[in-house]
Amino acid sequence: MNIPVLTIDGPSGAGKGTVCRAIAKKLGWHYLDSGSIYRSLAIAVLKAGVDVRDVGAVTEVAQAMSLEFDCGDELTVRLDGENITPQLASETTGNTASVVAAYPEVRAVLLQKQKDFQQPPGLVADGRDMGTVVFPEAEYKVYLTASAEERAKRRYKQLIEKGIGANLDQITSEIEARDRRDQERNIAPLAMAEDALYLDSSDLTIEQVIEKVMNLVR
Ligand code: DC
């Protein structure tokens, strides 16, 4: 059976999460937040006290970890039975995720876990390599981006709203460093699939982006 997939790839902070969740809800499709898989691995690695530079040890953690996703209104993730949702969004988790995501061995282990999300009636998949590597046969593909400056501003606003102290310059340089790492790695780098629709959200509202993506799927 052909289960439709919509992939939305792009750098962090482009609004993929919000757009994917809204579209999955509208269509009644499942939602894969692939970044949260790499983020969960980052938490597992930090918890295990493993050196993130030790590829072999990180790969073993990836193989051994058990993840449960509950994609209700808010995503809840359990790592080996423990609710790790509150730690998922932190900068430390995101930066560590970007390091472990650069290991081919890790990506190989996590590939099937991501493919398993393709269940009826359909899937919205959010990440960096959804349209290029994990679901290259996807019917609908979008590449959603925004300038680093705009993404840093959004991230800053989110943190301040959550009551977390933040520094805009630091966030901007971290976003630029993470973009470089995600784009320059040898394995599954952040790149636009040839058959993807390119959308720059810098000057669009979330509603406008959702509308454009919905038009593609309609
Ligand atoms: O989308 P995010 O910020 O939650 O992703 C965290 C990190 O995980 C990001 O820096 C790169 C990595 N990642 C990846 O390599 N491939 C994906 N499909 C999703 C995320």
Side-chain angles (χ1 to χ4, degrees), residues 8 27 33 38 68 106 111 134 156 193:
I8 304 192
L27 296 171
D33 173 359
Y38 291 96
E68 292 160 69
V106 163
L111 186 64
V134 183
Y156 175 79

Side-chain angles (χ1 to χ4, degrees), residues 29-128:
W29 289 6
H30 298 278
Y31 168 48
L32 164 62
D33 173 359
S34 62
S36 71
I37 295 185
Y38 291 96
R39 285 173 182 268
S40 301
L41 172 59
I43 294 170
V45 164
L46 295 171
K47 267 189 201 300
V50 157
D51 182 347
V52 303
R53 291 166 300 186
D54 184 342
V55 190
V58 171
T59 309
E60 275 175 30
V61 175
Q63 276 160 339
M65 70 178 179
S66 128
L67 291 179
E68 292 160 69
F69 285 80
D70 183 353
C71 303
D73 275 347
E74 295 283 320
L75 176 74
T76 303
V77 181
R78 279 190 195 77
L79 167 67
D80 300 324
E82 185 194 340
N83 184 355
I84 55 160
T85 315
Q87 298 151 59
L88 279 178
S90 85
E91 296 303 297
T92 313
T93 302
N95 290 326
T96 310
S98 152
V99 175
V100 297
Y103 300 144
E105 296 84 345
V106 163
R107 300 196 78 88
V109 171
L110 299 183
L111 186 64
Q112 193 57 45
K113 284 191 205 284
Q114 297 172 79
K115 285 183 183 284
D116 291 343
F117 277 77
Q118 188 177 1
Q119 297 291 340
L123 175 70
V124 181
D126 163 344
R128 302 293 189 288

Side-chain angles (χ1 to χ4, degrees), residues 12-25:
S12 24
K16 286 174 297 164
T18 312
V19 171
C20 286
R21 265 192 300 275
I23 289 176
K25 203 167 177 184

